[in-house]
Amino acid sequence: RKQLHVAEGAAARRRKSGVRSRPSGSRPSEHGFSRPTAPVTRVVEVPEAITVADLAKLMAIKAGEVIKVMMQMGMMVTINQSMDQDTAILVVEEMGHSAKPAELKDIESELIAEEETEVGDAVTRPPVVTVMGHVDHGKTQLLDTIRAANVVAGEAGGITQHIGAYQVKAGDNAITFIDTPGHEAFTALRARGADVTDLVILVVAANDGVMPQTVEAIDHAKAADVPIIVAINKMDLETADPFAVRGALTQHGIVVEDLGGDVPAVEVSALTGDGVEDLLEIVALVAEVEELTANPKAPAIGTVIEGQLEIGRGPVATVIVQRGTLKKGDAIVCGTVSGRVRAMFDERGGQVKTAGPSAPVLVSG
């Protein structure tokens, strides 16, 4: 049987001949390392929030040393405790390193900026409407009346939860209302770059007329360059004067159709419900003229209206899908937060598996 013979190395031949090798201690150092003679100073990029353990990793030290320094600074912390950016920078500098705020990687913008792969054609989508106006002019009452009129007759408990937005039916058309009335919420959405609103309903009380917040709401709607529909509310009062309201609006650039302009005006009573159906018809008509479309087969993009922590559900957010279809199990990114859609609920508390363009859903992730 053939055998493989391997030549022995020089070390093995020396062992057989009795020649002993030199002790390892007398060998010259084979590695090129030398003991540092001065402390290593690092430049640490500190994010907006960081735990003690993560901060220790960035400085390549043990977490116990960070805790010790923070105790000397008068802060009692644990290894998993989170601290803000300013505190972390102070700790880093106290330990002899240099610190600077970390540049946030806006993954959300990068995803939106990516080239979209369009699959399929755009279809007509429901309009998204925001109700604005002066305080006590009936914004909330009008929204409640619209929502109550669309509750299925005999439904136990009616609408079971508040999700910040809801969708109603106006004939064959659907309309999505953002249930955060007031120009503050509208301005906050626009400040975040979220042009989610397609129409603005400007509520003006027929007995009060144009007030300071009414003017602010007009300015915000004009800045957003969205159509305005005037709802002259409180027509059930004896002191109601809708013609004075129409005249006062012209002083602020709102000329209603009755006076030869192009802004629709509807007389309603949020208390009795009179004129609400006419208002919804006008909203559907204006939306049809605007030709609002979206591609339901594209990757889902939406806007978070509000978010909160709920017992039993964890983090939840009211989302209005603007493009594509959001499905249960999808991975989502919102600013610096990421996660996965565990469940979705409509405004009546029922679970849904998909949400198309302009659909408001409560997302649990």
Side-chain angles (χ1 to χ4, degrees), residues 92-132:
V92 172
E93 292 176 348
E94 182 71 19
M95 302 195 73
H97 299 286
S98 299
K100 66 177 183 178
E103 295 182 2
L104 293 177
K105 295 181 179 179
D106 195 350
I107 304 176
E108 183 180 357
S109 300
E110 292 178 5
L111 290 174
I112 296 176
E114 287 182 358
E115 185 177 355
E116 300 173 2
T117 305
E118 296 292 343
V119 181
D121 298 326
V123 298
T124 303
R125 64 172 178 83
V128 180
V129 181
T130 299
V131 179
M132 294 194 294

Side-chain angles (χ1 to χ4, degrees), residues 224-239:
D225 194 23
V226 293
I228 299 175
I229 299 174
V230 178
I232 304 176
N233 193 24
K234 300 188 179 182
M235 289 299 298
D236 55 294
L237 300 177
E238 295 182 358
T239 56

Side-chain angles (χ1 to χ4, degrees), residues 127-210:
V128 180
V129 181
T130 299
V131 179
M132 294 194 294
H134 190 72
V135 64
D136 293 333
H137 275 201
K139 302 185 300 292
T140 304
Q141 181 69 46
L142 179 61
L143 284 166
D144 291 341
T145 302
I146 292 172
R147 180 164 50 182
N150 280 266
V151 175
V152 179
E155 181 182 1
I159 295 175
T160 57
Q161 66 181 24
H162 167 78
I163 71 167
Y166 57 91
Q167 200 169 73
V168 302
K169 294 289 185 181
D172 296 332
N173 304 307
I175 303 172
T176 299
F177 284 91
I178 297 179
D179 194 5
T180 50
H183 57 267
E184 295 88 354
F186 184 81
T187 308
L189 287 173
R190 288 195 62 245
R192 300 206 314 259
D195 296 326
V196 64
T197 303
D198 301 312
L199 301 170
V200 168
I201 294 180
L202 180 65
V203 178
V204 186
N207 60 333
D208 278 350
V210 177

Side-chain angles (χ1 to χ4, degrees), residues 52-83:
V52 173
D54 292 337
L55 185 62
K57 288 180 182 179
L58 293 178
M59 293 186 288
I61 59 176
K62 294 182 179 180
E65 298 183 26
V66 178
I67 295 175
K68 182 178 179 181
V69 170
M70 295 187 71
M71 289 177 64
Q72 294 174 353
M73 296 172 64
M75 292 179 283
M76 304 297 293
V77 295
T78 60
I79 190 171
N80 293 320
Q81 187 165 333
S82 180
M83 69 184 88

